Amino acid sequence: MPRTLALILGLLAVMPAQSAPSATLPAEVMQVLKRHGLTAQGLSVYVHEVGQPEAVLTVGADVPRNPASTMKLLTTLVALEELGPSWTWKTEAYASAPVRDGVLDGDLYIKGYGDPYLVIEHFWRFLRALRKGGLTEIRGDLIIDQGFFDPGSGQPADFDRRPQRAYNVQPRALLVNFQAVNFRFQPQPRQQRVEIIADPQPAQLAIHNHVRLTHGPCRGGARAVGMQLASRAGFQKLVFSGAYSAHCGDDEFYRVVADSDAYIHGVFRTLWTEMGGRFAGKVREAAVPDGATLLHSATSPPLSEIIRVVNKHSNNVMTRQLLLTLGAEKHGAPGTVEKGVAVIHEWLQARGLHFPELVLENGSGLSRNERISARHLGAVLLAAWRSPSMPEFLASLPILSVDGTLKRRHGGSLAGRAHLKGGSIDNVRAQAGLLLDEQGRRMVVVVLHNDARAASAGEQVQNAVLAWVNSRP
């Protein structure tokens, strides 16, 4: 036998054969379930070493599960690949009449193209550019062109009957500051009061502060304060009541206090007045007319930065903006959910990925109906690792015990070694991402737990899976 062939055969003889995937949960995971009185019936786990042909662990991996916010992994990856990491959105301002001596004797139009991150400082810069361009007084109305999206008939209360919660905001072509107000609570012991600061404060919103400062134990902070909103004839009154302990320190929460048009109108009036501009008009929606004069066009941060906000902080409305943008850009405006979902299915088909169980409602995971299997969510992560946009995608995921939604989660020896997207809604705890194990292997790990008592054990189950993957021989 030639020496070369003998050497090859000898090497093959000592190389370990690729073992079949295990379909049995590790003992550590079973112990956690048993401790909480749970079975493995609602649990799916999928573990796959990057670069290897077979998975390491597949337990319930083909069962369709509700993935909660881990569904954002699919939507953001498709957006990166279909639009490109340098993709940006624009927002435009138009005048219906000439601007003379700083006066627009007509209407100001603002047209949105779906910017998911038109936060208050970006909107301020947008309006500041109009002021620097010479516009001082607007004698007509503020007209909002929302025609680039057709988000459908969904309502903020549809998911959990909490329309004032910021995570329930509906997507819009012109979405300013997520349509939310940040309420900051600052105890002032010397004055025996609690200061409440709204940022931004829409012009039509009046705040009545009846919160009492106490000195007992902190019980809930800002979220324990009562809040009642009343609207009448274009004005709103927000009444805060109850007790707030000085021991809570500064605290804050975000709430939605107005519909989209009223919110934009109120914030516009506040900022425009602060800049020394004059405006007393109303607000309505309409398309920018032919012949209108473009006054200013602003550009968003690139998509590579946008998805860092989406995934690090699990922002639902931004994800929905991405889905509608995909639909508008690939199948023509207006962007719709149906068009966006079609783009995702086309992306899967082009890569030979067949997910028959996949159910997409809005692409964000804020849904009772969305479904995917752990194996296929793992396939998404493996596709991401092979993607030219892998660095941007991986950098968008929360780092265990370091930042984003995982900043306060104790990772022990795994802190900083795992990029993971979590997901949590009623009866669902989920986690998916990549772990660099103690032997330097990059591991795809997916845990989807759908159980009425998943909340009690979800994080401990996930930790047990991660620990087993990390120390696996």
Side-chain angles (χ1 to χ4, degrees):
M1 180 180 295
R3 181 176 298 177
T4 302
L5 180 58
L7 178 61
I8 293 174
L9 292 175
L11 289 172
L12 290 174
V14 299
M15 288 177 63
Q18 178 69 32
S19 59
S22 172
T24 303
L25 281 173
E28 303 95 312
V29 180
M30 288 300 301
Q31 288 173 5
V32 173
L33 292 173
K34 184 177 180 181
R35 191 158 59 241
H36 290 269
L38 298 173
T39 69
Q41 184 175 359
L43 182 64
S44 293
V45 180
Y46 180 82
V47 180
H48 195 134
E49 181 181 347
V50 171
Q52 295 299 319
E54 295 291 337
V56 173
L57 178 64
T58 59
V59 176
D62 297 306
V63 178
R65 303 281 192 201
N66 188 318
S69 282
T70 60
M71 187 65 90
K72 291 180 174 71
L73 296 171
L74 176 58
T75 306
T76 53
L77 178 60
V78 174
L80 264 180
E81 291 217 330
E82 291 296 311
L83 301 175
S86 64
W87 175 269
T88 56
W89 289 258
K90 61 183 178 180
T91 303
E92 297 173 334
Y94 290 86
S96 64
V99 178
R100 294 188 176 93
D101 299 324
V103 177
L104 169 57
D105 196 8
D107 300 322
L108 178 70
Y109 287 79
I110 301 181
K111 181 175 177 61
Y113 289 88
D115 184 350
Y117 199 60
L118 189 59
V119 290
I120 194 64
E121 54 266 37
H122 294 178
F123 192 55
W124 181 91
R125 285 201 295 267
F126 178 79
L127 300 184
R128 180 63 177 165
L130 294 177
R131 288 287 288 115
K132 294 289 284 185
L135 181 59
T136 299
E137 182 177 359
I138 304 162
R139 293 181 175 173
D141 293 333
L142 176 65
I143 316 297
I144 302 171
D145 188 340
Q146 298 279 18
F148 195 69
F149 283 170
D150 179 6
S153 58
Q155 298 297 321
D158 288 347
F159 179 71
D160 59 4
R161 301 184 186 278
R162 294 180 173 180
Q164 293 177 342
R165 296 302 176 98
Y167 58 76
N168 278 323
V169 170
Q170 303 296 292
R172 301 285 278 168
L174 182 66
L175 179 71
V176 174
N177 204 53
F178 313 128
Q179 202 181 314
V181 176
N182 178 24
F183 293 99
R184 295 198 298 270
F185 294 75
Q186 300 177 337
Q188 309 287 332
R190 290 185 178 180
Q191 292 78 27
Q192 283 297 301
R193 64 186 298 271
V194 180
E195 185 174 7
I196 302 176
I197 301 172
D199 183 29
Q201 183 168 344
Q204 79 278 8
L205 178 66
I207 296 176
H208 294 250
N209 181 1
H210 300 308
V211 177
R212 306 184 317 276
L213 182 66
T214 65
H215 299 277
C218 179
R219 302 185 186 280
R223 285 154 187 80
V225 171
M227 188 183 86
Q228 289 186 319
L229 179 67
S231 299
R232 182 178 179 183
F235 291 92
Q236 295 169 298
K237 182 173 73 172
L238 187 60
V239 179
F240 289 103
S241 60
Y244 186 94
S245 171
H247 294 289
C248 293
D250 292 357
D251 200 4
E252 65 180 10
F253 60 58
Y254 289 83
R255 291 292 184 267
V256 177
V257 297
D259 64 29
S260 177
D261 288 354
Y263 178 84
I264 295 172
H265 184 228
V267 171
F268 177 89
R269 286 172 55 198
T270 296
L271 297 181
W272 194 252
T273 301
E274 288 177 354
M275 294 176 186
R278 297 186 295 278
F279 169 71
K282 299 179 180 180
V283 65
R284 65 180 186 275
E285 288 187 21
V288 174
D290 294 338
T293 302
L294 178 65
L295 299 180
H296 179 61
S297 181
T299 303
S300 74
L303 178 59
S304 58
E305 295 182 21
I306 294 292
I307 69 161
R308 283 177 61 86
V309 180
V310 171
N311 284 331
K312 292 279 188 187
H313 302 285
S314 203
N315 192 296
N316 293 298
V317 68
M318 289 180 73
T319 312
R320 300 179 71 171
Q321 296 282 109
L322 290 182
L323 186 70
L324 294 178
T325 298
L326 283 169
E329 294 299 329
K330 296 300 178 179
H331 290 292
T336 65
V337 171
E338 292 76 17
K339 291 178 182 178
V341 169
V343 174
I344 291 178
H345 281 289
E346 291 159 7
W347 180 88
L348 291 170
Q349 184 177 11
R351 284 151 187 79
L353 299 173
H354 182 55
F355 295 1
E357 85 289 358
L358 180 64
V359 177
L360 286 165
E361 185 175 30
N362 54 48
S364 75
L366 189 71
S367 165
R368 310 292 183 195
N369 302 317
E370 293 197 330
R371 294 291 185 274
I372 193 171
S373 69
R375 184 188 304 276
H376 288 155
L377 195 52
V380 170
L381 288 164
L382 290 169
W385 187 259
R386 297 188 296 268
S387 169
S389 297
M390 181 275 288
E392 290 81 10
F393 180 80
L394 191 61
S396 77
L397 303 186
I399 304 172
L400 183 61
S401 304
V402 174
D403 66 6
T405 55
L406 297 181
K407 184 175 182 177
R408 297 181 180 179
R409 179 165 162 183
H410 179 66
S413 62
L414 296 180
R417 299 181 63 85
H419 290 73
L420 302 166
K421 181 75 195 74
S424 175
I425 58 174
D426 292 345
N427 305 329
V428 178
R429 292 297 182 271
Q431 173 184 274
L434 290 114
L435 165 69
L436 184 66
D437 74 8
E438 62 184 15
Q439 297 188 44
R441 299 170 296 192
R442 190 73 70 175
M443 308 296 298
V444 166
V445 182
V446 180
V447 180
L448 302 181
H449 199 181
N450 290 188
D451 190 285
R453 289 184 290 168
S456 66
E459 186 173 312
Q460 294 178 54
V461 168
Q462 293 165 10
N463 288 342
V465 171
L466 290 174
W468 176 83
V469 173
N470 182 58
S471 60
R472 183 179 63 89

